Amino acid sequence: MEILKHTMEQLDYTMVDLNEHEFIKSDIKIGFAFTEDLLEFADVNYKNLKVFQDNGAEYHLLTISDYLKVYNKSLQDGYRRIKNNNKDLNKLEILNKLVQD
């Protein structure tokens, strides 16, 4: 984590939340998580995620079903419920509508 923090600070980002691995610079907010944590946290198998590549960067893509698992699990986390003012609940409502369509 120290390497990440140091790298982000060199790019003029400031860590605003250690628990969420969240950094901010002006009006840009970036958060980091370990892909491998998805399996234990929300029963999402990170090895099955599709990978999108762009200019040498790799992005692991979650499905709507994966996002539902993640945000349902996040709702159980008191820290996120308090910090996010029901943002996760709002996202879940949207995801559930997408699944129904």
Side-chain angles (χ1 to χ4, degrees):
M1 183 63 196
E2 282 302 314
I3 293 171
L4 174 63
K5 184 176 183 285
H6 178 72
T7 301
M8 294 303 291
E9 286 172 349
Q10 286 183 324
L11 297 170
D12 294 325
Y13 283 86
T14 302
M15 178 179 275
V16 292
D17 191 330
L18 176 63
N19 193 38
E20 295 287 322
H21 306 116
E22 191 174 88
F23 297 84
I24 193 165
K25 175 178 159 182
S26 301
D27 61 345
I28 300 170
K29 193 181 289 187
I30 298 175
F32 294 92
F34 297 102
T35 310
E36 297 83 359
D37 290 346
L38 285 169
L39 186 58
E40 183 179 338
F41 178 71
D43 195 31
V44 172
N45 190 340
Y46 64 92
K47 293 180 181 178
N48 294 336
L49 297 177
K50 290 185 181 180
V51 177
F52 174 76
Q53 295 183 352
D54 182 39
N55 291 324
E58 289 187 350
Y59 302 91
H60 297 259
L61 308 175
L62 277 68
T63 65
I64 292 173
S65 175
D66 294 334
Y67 275 110
L68 278 168
K69 288 180 180 180
V70 169
Y71 284 110
N72 274 312
K73 186 66 175 186
S74 292
L75 275 182
Q76 297 172 15
D77 181 358
Y79 171 82
R80 285 191 62 90
R81 263 196 324 268
I82 293 167
K83 180 183 180 293
N84 286 330
N85 296 327
N86 292 322
K87 289 180 191 174
D88 290 347
L89 187 58
N90 294 338
K91 291 173 187 171
L92 270 170
E93 288 177 12
I94 293 167
L95 290 166
N96 281 314
K97 286 180 186 177
L98 289 172
V99 170
Q100 292 171 0
D101 292 341

